[in-house]
Amino acid sequence: MFMKIALSGRLVIARLEEVRAQLTAPATEADVTLDLSQVEAMDTAGAWLLVTTQNEVQGRGGRCEIAGASQNQVDLLDVVRQSIPKKAPTAKPRHGFFDWLEVIGQKTWFGILGVIEMLGFLGAVLARLGYVALHPRRLRVTSLVHHMQEVGLNAVPIVSLMAFLIGVVMAFQGAVQLRQFGAEVFVVDLIAISVLRELGILLTAIIVAGRSGAAFTAAIGSMKMREEIDAMRTFGLDPIEILILPRVLALVFMLPLLGFVADVMGLLGGAMMSWIELDVSPGMFQTRLYDSVDVWHYAVGLIKAPFFAVIIAIVGCYEGMKVGGDAESLGRLTSTSVVLSIFLVIVADAMFSILFAVIGI
């Protein structure tokens, strides 16, 4: 089936709807010729309408030719045709074993590349830290204090409540089990060692990762979207020194203090529940705590705190620097920052546990 559509007059944006009605989709599989010999003028909108109509006809299996166009019109049609984005071919679903193995390999390789990039980012931050240490006047003290308040002081209430409830839960659950053997007094050892060595600092780091790590990614990512970081580089300012270093140092300084608060509140919650559930008086709890808990139990948690802080801060800032120009990437990388920070903190905690067990601490 052949159809010829003769266009005339001005093919411009003001007449776009009128021309669109004239170019109402021809019959399926039709061969169409668009005659432009009577067209007096054509702008980009008109050229786009012609190219779109041609693509629609060809997409249905027909042929669509544009005839009678002047050289200027042909050039304009070519420019518009090249500017229209091509549709990506739809990938067929692949469910075979080798397809699954290929996907696993690709994700593993991309993960390795991500680790290498993050280590490079860490190296850049450490290099800038060394430069600032040699030139202390370049340290942004105001920014550092501000972030210390945000990640430290403002996080005390949630960290305290979490640790207190953890101590209550551990004391209650430990009492239920130890009462069967008449060893209720050992609940003090259970609470103290668990909170001081592991749960206090680990749960604090997880809360900080979800709270401050996500905030780092969102803040830096928003600046990246608004091209503020590019503007800094244009003015000769280093984003690592201005944005990232104060956040990293603030978290390194404040996470050990938050861990100390968590330890105190965890022990307080455990002591209260032991008093209520087991009739272990505060004096007896304190005596048993002094007798059974070595100072190294507290030191182990304190040693891990700066390493957890570096992990959380570096991951949060790194993901923020990867944000593109759209809100979708900001939300996706903020979620990635939280998940990756918590995962790496748990991995680091497991490695420290193995190390301390090997050296006998």
Side-chain angles (χ1 to χ4, degrees):
M1 180 179 177
F2 174 78
M3 179 178 295
K4 181 177 181 180
I5 302 177
L7 302 174
S8 61
R10 295 172 60 83
L11 189 52
V12 294
I13 190 171
R15 297 184 60 233
L16 199 62
E17 292 302 322
E18 179 184 344
V19 178
R20 189 193 302 273
Q22 190 176 356
L23 293 177
T24 301
T28 306
E29 305 295 337
D31 294 336
V32 182
T33 298
L34 303 178
D35 187 3
L36 306 185
S37 57
Q38 301 299 320
V39 173
E40 301 173 359
M42 181 174 65
D43 62 4
T44 305
W48 171 84
L49 181 59
L50 294 178
V51 173
T52 302
T53 302
Q54 186 179 39
N55 292 339
E56 289 177 354
V57 174
Q58 293 175 349
R60 291 196 298 268
R63 291 186 304 170
C64 183
E65 297 180 356
I66 299 177
S70 65
Q71 185 59 44
N72 290 338
Q73 293 171 348
V74 171
D75 294 339
L76 180 58
L77 289 169
D78 290 339
V79 171
V80 172
R81 188 176 291 110
Q82 295 172 4
S83 301
I84 295 178
K86 302 295 187 296
K87 291 184 178 180
T90 304
K92 296 181 179 179
R94 305 165 66 186
H95 303 293
F97 172 76
F98 291 104
D99 299 329
W100 173 80
L101 195 62
E102 179 183 355
V103 171
I104 295 298
Q106 289 177 347
K107 291 186 177 180
T108 302
W109 176 245
F110 290 147
I112 293 173
L113 293 180
V115 171
I116 294 174
E117 290 180 3
M118 195 175 299
L119 290 176
F121 183 76
L122 174 61
V125 174
L126 292 177
R128 179 53 58 177
L129 176 62
Y131 179 79
V132 171
L134 296 176
H135 305 82
R137 293 175 61 88
R138 298 190 64 87
L139 180 62
R140 308 275 171 160
V141 178
T142 303
S143 178
L144 176 62
V145 173
H146 167 74
H147 290 299
M148 289 175 66
Q149 178 181 353
E150 288 294 322
V151 305
L153 185 61
N154 293 348
V156 168
I158 184 61
V159 169
S160 300
L161 179 61
M162 175 276 303
F164 182 83
L165 294 177
I166 288 296
V168 170
V169 171
M170 290 194 60
F172 182 78
Q173 295 296 330
V176 172
Q177 301 300 322
L178 294 174
R179 185 179 287 115
Q180 304 176 29
F181 308 99
E184 294 92 336
V185 71
F186 289 105
V187 75
V188 179
D189 305 60
L190 173 66
I191 297 169
I193 295 176
S194 299
V195 170
L196 294 178
R197 290 185 69 99
E198 295 292 339
L199 294 181
I201 189 61
L202 179 60
L203 294 179
T204 300
I206 290 175
I207 288 179
V208 170
R211 183 182 178 276
S212 301
F216 289 173
T217 303
I220 296 177
S222 298
M223 298 181 69
K224 189 80 180 300
M225 289 175 56
R226 295 192 296 264
E227 299 183 353
E228 295 178 24
I229 293 179
D230 294 333
M232 286 184 183
R233 293 194 176 103
T234 302
F235 286 114
L237 303 175
D238 187 0
I240 292 181
E241 179 180 321
I242 296 175
L243 300 177
I244 296 171
L245 199 56
R247 287 174 166 85
V248 174
L249 293 178
L251 207 52
V252 169
F253 292 154
M254 298 308 298
L255 191 59
L257 298 179
L258 290 175
F260 172 76
V261 171
D263 291 341
V264 173
M265 296 303 295
L267 294 177
L268 183 60
M272 188 188 75
M273 182 53 65
S274 299
W275 192 11
I276 296 173
E277 184 69 17
L278 300 174
D279 293 329
V280 177
S281 66
M284 184 183 299
F285 188 96
Q286 181 179 2
T287 301
R288 183 65 187 174
L289 183 65
Y290 287 157
D291 292 342
S292 61
V293 178
D294 188 79
V295 68
W296 273 107
H297 292 307
Y298 169 71
V300 163
L302 193 64
I303 291 171
K304 293 187 286 188
F307 294 92
F308 291 171
V310 170
I311 291 173
I312 296 168
I314 290 297
V315 171
C317 296
Y318 170 75
E319 297 296 338
M321 295 293 288
K322 288 172 57 180
V323 171
D326 56 334
E328 188 274 336
S329 67
L330 177 62
R332 175 174 51 83
L333 291 173
T334 300
S335 300
T336 301
S337 169
V338 174
V339 174
L340 185 58
S341 297
I342 294 175
F343 171 74
L344 293 178
V345 163
I346 294 175
V347 170
D349 184 69
M351 296 177 64
F352 273 114
S353 298
I354 296 173
L355 174 64
F356 291 139
V358 169
I359 64 179
I361 297 179

